[in-house]
Amino acid sequence: MNDQFRAAMDSTEEKMKALQAAYSRQVAQFSTELTGQLMINIDEAGKFKPLVRRGRYLHNLVKSMSPKLLDGVYDLLLQSSAFSLDELAVLPNSGDIARPSLLTLEKTAGEGYKRIFNDMKSLTVSLVDGLKTEIEALTVSPKSMNLSAKILASKTNHTVGQAKTLINTGMAQVQREVYSEALDSMPEKKNRFAVYMGPDDRVTRPFCDVLVGKAINSKLFPRLKNNQKGASSFTLNCGGWNCRHRLLPVTSGYIERNKIPKATARTVAKANAAAKEKKKRRASA
């Protein structure tokens, strides 16, 4: 890839980090405020008021505060999808690849928001159940106010971490969907290729490490298995949760001119085996 395109990719990475940081600050406030609301209902002896132990109270409290988890998310997704257009605009000598329209970006962001909205609902349900369990345990065995606050904050912070993963993955997904739209616009269905672009560093997944820098025929996409539960679609998620890679659509002529290596059936098998091995090591750890 030429210097201009690499500069566009670096710019995208910096912009994405800024969006992720802004969301992190937003959800950190959610955790602090939720923990604070719960601690209002505990006395110096570490005992909760009977009201807090009711499931309905926790449900209503989390429900009233959960909009903070979704506030501004649609705009984050729309901005992220627009970054893909910036990269496509500077792609050199790639042939006639259509640039998705603003309507496509809005549709992509809307669909991404629906996915995140549904996943976030599941997170808040789990949070209510987790808080209820912790409060029941603290009722049976009261702790100091300071320790109780740490226990409850740990539970809400876990949910915040999951929310950030959903948003980071969602922003990357909409970028890939924009690329997918561009790829689908290419006239030769049998020769639709995408280069697996992104970092190749010490935190790159073994699955992604096999694929980085290679041109992959879209016919091979369904055969690539990242072994990531809940984020298994290669087209939408590449390597899975929090994956930093994307599928840049290019023509076969571009691949030949730039001598980009093509992925083969053997490459697919190697990537799938790497993903399976990592999952096995994680399970045995």
Side-chain angles (χ1 to χ4, degrees):
M1 295 295 168
N2 72 352
D3 292 341
Q4 188 180 14
F5 183 74
R6 289 202 178 279
M9 284 189 63
D10 290 343
S11 176
T12 295
E13 291 299 322
E14 290 304 312
K15 291 173 184 174
M16 289 288 285
K17 287 177 182 177
L19 294 183
Q20 290 165 1
Y23 184 75
S24 292
R25 290 191 294 272
Q26 176 180 317
V27 289
Q29 185 181 4
F30 164 83
S31 177
T32 300
E33 292 181 1
L34 178 56
T35 303
Q37 284 295 316
L38 291 171
M39 292 306 297
I40 290 173
N41 294 287
I42 190 171
D43 61 27
E44 292 183 0
K47 293 183 179 180
F48 285 95
K49 295 177 182 177
L51 173 69
V52 180
R53 292 155 55 190
R54 297 175 189 167
R56 178 55 55 187
Y57 170 82
L58 286 172
H59 172 80
N60 289 338
L61 177 62
V62 172
K63 183 178 180 180
S64 69
M65 300 185 71
S66 60
K68 287 183 180 294
L69 297 175
L70 288 165
D71 188 32
V73 166
Y74 175 81
D75 290 336
L76 291 181
L77 297 176
L78 191 59
Q79 289 180 67
S80 300
S81 63
F83 298 157
S84 298
L85 292 188
D86 294 338
E87 292 182 353
L88 287 171
V90 298
L91 183 62
N93 306 315
S94 62
D96 186 20
I97 297 177
R99 308 296 189 251
S101 66
L102 178 59
L103 287 176
T104 298
L105 298 192
E106 291 176 344
K107 178 184 175 183
T108 298
E111 290 172 349
Y113 182 84
K114 288 178 184 176
R115 286 193 299 268
I116 290 173
F117 180 84
N118 289 329
D119 288 339
M120 207 70 82
K121 281 173 64 178
S122 298
L123 280 191
T124 55
V125 169
S126 296
L127 174 59
V128 169
D129 291 341
L131 288 173
K132 186 176 180 181
T133 299
E134 294 294 354
I135 288 171
E136 287 174 351
L138 289 169
T139 300
V140 173
S141 179
K143 310 293 183 188
S144 68
M145 289 189 70
N146 186 46
L147 184 55
S148 294
K150 287 181 178 179
I151 290 171
L152 296 176
S154 175
K155 184 61 64 176
T156 56
N157 285 337
H158 178 68
T159 298
V160 162
Q162 292 175 308
K164 288 193 286 188
T165 294
L166 284 179
I167 298 304
N168 293 348
T169 302
M171 289 195 293
Q173 283 177 339
V174 295
Q175 290 181 321
R176 296 186 192 112
E177 285 182 301
V178 172
Y179 282 138
S180 182
E181 288 282 342
L183 186 65
D184 290 343
S185 74
M186 297 170 69
E188 296 182 53
K189 191 171 183 179
K190 292 182 179 180
N191 287 309
R192 291 176 177 171
F193 287 88
V195 179
Y196 201 78
M197 294 296 298
D200 189 9
D201 52 30
R202 63 183 180 82
V203 295
T204 299
R205 289 184 175 98
F207 174 85
C208 297
D209 189 54
V210 174
L211 301 173
V212 170
K214 291 183 175 63
I216 308 172
N217 193 305
S218 61
K219 292 186 295 185
L220 294 176
F221 290 1
R223 294 168 58 183
L224 283 156
K225 310 295 182 184
N226 61 30
N227 260 295
Q228 292 275 308
K229 185 177 180 180
S232 61
S233 168
F234 178 71
T235 304
L236 198 59
N237 300 295
C238 285
W241 294 108
N242 282 321
C243 183
R244 300 168 295 162
H245 298 91
R246 43 206 183 272
L247 293 160
L248 181 70
V250 294
T251 62
S252 55
Y254 179 82
I255 295 168
E256 292 172 8
R257 286 192 297 274
N258 291 276
K259 299 179 181 179
I260 298 173
K262 290 183 181 179
T264 63
R266 183 175 294 180
T267 308
V268 171
K270 186 177 179 181
N272 290 348
K276 193 174 292 185
E277 179 61 26
K278 180 173 183 180
K279 184 177 182 181
K280 189 185 298 182
R281 287 200 305 269
R282 190 187 296 119
S284 61

